[in-house]
Structure formats: structure tokens, C-alpha cells
Amino acid sequence: KAGVTQTPRYLIKTRGQQVTLSCSPISGHRSVSWYQQTPGQGLQFLFEYFSETQRNKGNFPGRFSGRQFSNSRSEMNVSTLELGDSALYLCASSVTVSPLETQYFGPGTRLLVL
Amino acid sequence: AQSVSQHNHHVILSEAASLELGCNYSYGGTVNLFWYVQYPGQHLQLLLKYFSGDPLVKGIKGFEAEFIKSKFSFNLRKPSVQWSDTAEYFCAVRNQAGTALIFGKGTTLSVSS
């Protein structure tokens, strides 16, 4: 099976712009979670989607949003980019939303905000 | 709120040395525990996980971890490290009510040959 794929892999934006990142989960996985990884804060949970519904949300401002499509693919959007949004954005998928499920991570999208 | 502490930020070892990375979590209820590894230039991979049962769990590549409930700890061990174990290691916890993983800040392991 193909793993979790994320596009694009690298992105450079300027402050004030918006960006959309895409994640395709492992085939058959219906839950997608997003995480932000920075050197200072480590890995922080952004949100989780299951069956096109947001199930859980981390402590991030409203500029961060996401959605999930009927084929389980997910996108996250960051509006009005700030320098501090520079990070590696990771997507993880699992079959369901059970706490017993293992999450499988993609390679990430590295976003640089100038 | 749940939190995870990894006490060692950077560990440097020679090949064949033994490894123990500390992980403590704060949550009073039932938790699921994970160790993930991120090799240079690669994505996060699951090393091992604990859900219930035997508190000593074995993972891939010779790693194991022991869950000690009374100490809220889930330390990662390997008897003899190899140069290829150079990576960043993350401990994570998830409670029974949620599915979000709460990660520690990570420990960078550097193994010299």
C-alpha cells in the first residue's frame, strides 16, 4: 500500500498570503490529523477529520482551517500568513478515530514564510 | 491538560553502548503510549506502542519500552545502539477519550561509529 502523501513538499510564501496544503491518506483510512512541527514548540496537534467532519481541534488561531473530502483526502489552509507559521506540517492517517488506532505519518510539507 | 516530558534533549553515544531515553506523561486516566522515530530526511515512523497488557513492549529494530504506571513513565531502551539509530525520538500519549497525539519535545540521538 502507498503511504500518506503530502503536496507540495516545499513551499515559500510571504507574510499576509494564504496557503493550502494537501494530504492523501493511506487507502482505506478515513481519519486524517494535522500537526505542526517547529524547533521551538515541537509537534503540536492542529485538527482531525473523520468522514468529512472535524472531530477534534488543537489550540491554534482561526487562521488555520481544514476540510476533508468524500474520498478522505484532506486540505489545510492557513490565511494571513505570519513569520511564525514557518514549520513542517505533518499529516497522519488512521483507519478510524479509535484511540487504539496507530497514526501513520506523511513526509510533511515544509512551509517557509518570508 | 495532558503533557509529555522527554528529559534528554540530545544524547550522544558510541556504537554498542546501551540506550535509555526517558519519557514521563501527566494524565491520571488510561492512556495509550507511543514512541516514534524520525530519521534524517525521513518521515515519522512508529517504533512501538503500548495499549494494555504486558508493560514491557517490544518494537522494531531491537527497541523496547517499559510502561511504569506508578511513575507515569514510558522509557525507551535498546541494549546496543548502531550508527543507523541516529535520529530524533518522540514519545507521545493519547488518552482514551481523544485521538490527538500529544508529543514530547523529542530527543536527538547521535551515535558515533
Side-chain angles (χ1 to χ4, degrees):
Chain A
K1 267 186 183 178
V4 177
T5 57
Q6 293 186 243
T7 56
R9 293 292 309 279
Y10 304 92
L11 207 48
I12 301 175
K13 292 284 188 180
T14 56
R15 277 184 302 174
Q17 288 187 309
Q18 74 164 13
V19 66
T20 299
L21 312 181
S22 180
C23 170
S24 293
I26 292 171
S27 177
H29 287 197
R30 294 168 61 198
S31 173
V32 172
S33 298
W34 289 89
Y35 295 84
Q36 181 195 64
Q37 186 178 15
T38 59
Q41 298 298 319
L43 279 148
Q44 295 184 283
F45 171 73
L46 280 156
F47 27 65
E48 177 190 37
Y49 288 87
F50 179 74
S51 293
E52 302 177 67
T53 302
Q54 187 179 89
R55 295 289 298 248
N56 206 351
K57 189 177 191 305
N59 190 25
F60 277 81
R63 300 185 298 106
F64 291 81
S65 63
R67 59 179 175 167
Q68 187 180 35
F69 302 94
S70 57
N71 61 359
S72 296
R73 189 177 69 86
S74 177
E75 288 181 348
M76 68 162 279
N77 184 276
V78 187
S79 62
T80 319
L81 283 166
E82 300 177 0
L83 295 180
D85 296 333
S86 294
L88 182 65
Y89 290 88
L90 296 172
C91 168
S93 77
S94 57
V95 176
T96 70
V97 291
S98 166
L100 300 180
E101 289 279 350
T102 295
Q103 293 188 355
Y104 296 89
F105 284 80
T109 293
R110 188 166 295 281
L111 172 65
L112 177 62
V113 182
L114 301 176
Chain B
Q2 293 175 96
S3 65
V4 178
S5 295
Q6 292 183 241
H7 315 297
N8 313 102
H9 180 63
H10 193 180
V11 173
I12 302 171
L13 294 173
S14 300
E15 272 195 323
S18 64
L19 169 72
E20 181 159 2
L21 301 182
C23 172
N24 286 90
Y25 65 93
S26 65
Y27 183 71
T30 303
V31 293
N32 300 318
L33 298 156
F34 305 80
W35 275 97
Y36 280 86
V37 62
Q38 191 170 34
Y39 296 103
Q42 296 187 29
H43 58 274
L44 273 169
Q45 301 171 42
L46 181 69
L47 266 181
L48 46 78
K49 60 187 178 184
Y50 172 79
F51 288 163
S52 63
D54 188 345
L56 184 62
V57 292
K58 294 191 185 300
I60 61 171
K61 304 187 180 187
F63 286 92
E64 64 179 31
E66 184 177 13
F67 170 54
I68 303 179
K69 191 174 181 179
S70 60
K71 295 185 178 180
F72 298 91
S73 71
F74 190 55
N75 293 353
L76 181 71
R77 300 195 293 247
K78 186 170 183 179
S80 176
V81 296
Q82 300 173 313
W83 177 80
S84 58
D85 293 324
T86 294
E88 192 159 14
Y89 293 81
F90 294 91
C91 180
V93 64
R94 186 164 66 203
N95 65 35
Q96 288 294 326
T99 50
L101 284 166
I102 309 300
F103 283 90
K105 290 287 178 75
T107 297
T108 300
L109 172 64
S110 299
V111 180
S112 58
S113 56

